Amino acid sequence: MRKIVIVFFLFIGFSSQAQDTLREIKVSTSSKSLKKSSRDTQNTTVMTSKELLKAACCNLAESFETNPSIDVNFSDALTGTRQIRMLGLTSPYLMITEENIPSVRGASQAYGLSFTPGTWVESIQITKGAGSVTSGFESISGQINTELLKPLDDIPFFLNVYGSTDARFEINTHFNRKVSEKWSTSLFIHGNGRFAENDMNDDGFLDNPLARQINVMNRWQFNDAEKGWIGFFNVRYMKDEKLAGEVGFTPERHKFGNEVWGSEIKTERIDLSAKGEYVFPDMPFQSIGWQNAFSLHDQNSYFAFNAYDIKHQSLYSNLIFNSIINNTMHKFAAGVNFAYDRYTEQLIVPGIAGTFDRIDNSVGTYFEYTYDNDDNFSVIAGLRGDIHNRLGAFITPRLHLRYVPVEGTVVRLSAGRGKRLANIFAENQQLFASARTFSILDGGGAGYGLNPEVAWNYGLSLTHNFTLFGKTADVGVDFYRTDFQNQAVVDLYAGPQTVNFYNLKGRSYANSLQFDFNYEPIKHFLIRTSYKWYDIQTNYNAGQFERPFQAQHRFFTNLEYATHIKEKGQRWKFDYTFNWMGKQRLPFTFSNPEQDRLNDFAEPFVTMNAQITRTFSSTFEVYVGGENISNFRQPNAILGNDNPFGSTFDASMVYGPVFGQMYYAGLRFKIK
Amino acid sequence: MALVTFTASAQEKKNKNAKHNITVNGNCGTCEKRIEKAAFSVEGVKSAEWHADDQTLHVILNEEKASVEDVKKAVAAVGHDAGGVLASDEVYNNLHHCCQYERVAKK
């Protein structure tokens, strides 16, 4: 045990020095695939690539199934896109970055997480609560940063093939070459598709869209350890097409007609990024980093007669300087960043038809001070000031504290402010698949006539490691509160044929309480359990209500068992995930005809996933698994499905799985 | 005062980021904390990392403010033999028993 502790501290010692702009997360030899370092000031969990293998499918949106900090929900009955939530707030309130560059934001909010294939991911860092000031002012309830595979450390070839009973197929190939002593490159090619129509619940609609995606990335890494230079250059192209609606819908024949209800969502995206970092050779604690990114996101879509097109060009640049004050117990990061976002947006829905073209730009500067006494106390205090063409000039403070009262117990506190402009249409695209009339009830504000969203987030967390019957265990409890000073309220309580957007009047808050218990009763057998309680309320025009589609109680457990690795690397791995979702508040539908009404609350339900992986050697493995094994299906997933052009049609009232059980199989092959 | 400064810079140019590796004996994580804390207590020490595996304290210090000898003395004062500077028996004997490393340097 003592040895492990020493190794652990050593590992921390090494990695703390590497805390810089291009932060590479070093992975220790521990068997745990979800790591929470007791030395981290922020409440951060690191998901390693091993954790991602537990839910073998398929992209970033689906990779949080085994993670208790993040809730995965379904956003609509047509596209099957999974929305994630942290602390009860949807992804627009999170800062989602890829290698510390903001990635899923603006136009890509609805589907962006499904545009990063899971096999590309090296690790994911999930931080609850107020984040760091270094990457922006927008985050309110947390940050998710994804590190992709690094060309320098990657293997020459990787192949992953996947197929499932819901007719989805995926192929991932990675190629890697060390071009010279200093340059290495990786080429990732991803393709996925669903080519057969499925209607398991016999409602006349496809349970999952027919889809095609091609996603290609080429990245280059430059490494000159002697002189202290590191650089990354990425080029990426993505094209995604989804076709949803009634069974038999063919765009050529039925598009914009009133016979067969159908929808197509086509997205093209180009991402370019370049970043470099210089670490002063005689001062490993001092570095300068520069991150630059450009993206073009172009979505064209229609949902029967509703049409939505959005084009988002984005430019981001961040210059960051890391150093110390006196010694490495006092570190700081200071920098300047710049962001430019140009939106071309067109919408035709009942109630609104128009263009919403706009340009956002901002320049900001920040300073973040970190004190760590190398023992039991650390603090990160950050402040940034921004000037934004539509948000004005404002400051964003963030604070994190960590204290270890006794060995094995960590207390963390955090507080911070976030401010953002809601992209009300891009963030609520599921509502386009309904007959609702859209109205913006306020005017004169900075975004769609609405005021910017401003919220404070406060959090307290406590973790305690101990031994139970001679085996390691840990418990955790955390409480977070988000208080909105202003919010772009999305109101579904005004009636089943309406959605209203307006400025918050009165209160809006999200309380979240989570208990965790993790235990390893026998070697290679891990139990992870978690209970979550949410109280999320907003003052709507009709009164104070719970946020719809939010369970107040959730229970989660994940069991993981693996056999000992034999000499050639042979191994069995078993995974099982159980989710219990308490009753969820649903929007108001009582004025609909009886067959198109939902109750005020959805009944609790259970979902279960399981997977078996057989590793034959260190280069070849096969997996089979099942999702939603208990076969729970939401009844009445599409309101008004018998008359999709009628006034009660609504495919956005989804609180559970639409598709029943699903089984899949896949393989992974590597050349090392 | 100006004269003093002048003579100081007239000597050899002092390195503001001088790297030194000092052999320091110790055992465990508690030792590590104690050793590094002692090193940081010397003004001018910018970075201090002790590794148990090679029994070495890696320091970066500003030679205008401190010397390696200052660091060795500070570390020895808390009980760890450091690059030839020995800890007193009294302090050594008061260390937690987990930290009572084998005193190879004393032989």
Side-chain angles (χ1 to χ4, degrees), chain A residues 6 29 32 100 126 148 179 225 280 302 333 387 401 417 428 446 549 581 600 631 638-639 647:
Chain A
I6 293 172
T29 52
K32 288 211 174 140
N100 293 311
I126 300 162
L148 302 181
V179 179
F280 291 75
Y302 64 89
I387 299 171
L401 290 169
R417 183 184 195 258
N428 295 288
F549 305 113
M581 180 99 83
D600 284 352
N631 205 20
I638 299 180
L639 298 185
S647 65

Side-chain angles (χ1 to χ4, degrees), chain B residues 1-106:
Chain B
M1 189 62 204
L3 196 81
V4 176
T5 319
F6 178 71
T7 50
S9 62
Q11 291 174 352
E12 60 189 304
K13 200 181 170 216
K14 299 224 166 162
N15 189 344
K16 283 187 172 182
N17 294 292
K19 279 185 188 173
H20 293 280
N21 295 330
I22 309 166
T23 302
V24 174
N25 299 117
N27 287 337
C28 58
T30 315
C31 299
E32 185 191 343
K33 282 183 193 169
R34 187 187 303 111
I35 294 165
E36 291 175 0
K37 199 178 162 193
F40 278 127
S41 73
V42 178
E43 209 198 316
V45 170
K46 293 184 175 180
S47 163
E49 276 181 47
W50 181 77
H51 298 156
D53 51 359
D54 60 357
Q55 298 278 301
T56 305
L57 175 65
H58 305 269
V59 275
I60 299 176
L61 56 84
N62 181 349
E63 289 184 334
E64 287 175 5
K65 291 184 181 170
S67 69
V68 199
E69 286 308 309
D70 297 336
V71 180
K72 289 178 187 171
K73 279 179 201 157
V75 172
V78 296
H80 294 271
D81 297 341
V85 180
L86 300 184
S88 76
D89 289 346
E90 196 191 343
V91 180
Y92 173 83
N93 291 333
N94 281 333
L95 290 178
H96 189 274
H97 59 82
C98 137
C99 295
Q100 294 197 343
Y101 54 92
E102 200 187 332
R103 300 198 77 179
V104 279
K106 212 183 164 199

Side-chain angles (χ1 to χ4, degrees), chain A residues 549 581-586 598-605 632 634 655-656:
Chain A
F549 305 113
M581 180 99 83
K583 62 175 193 176
Q584 300 175 53
R585 175 83 212 198
L586 299 178
L598 297 168
N599 294 333
D600 284 352
F601 289 91
E603 290 300 309
F605 63 87
F632 173 80
Q634 173 184 344
Y655 57 84

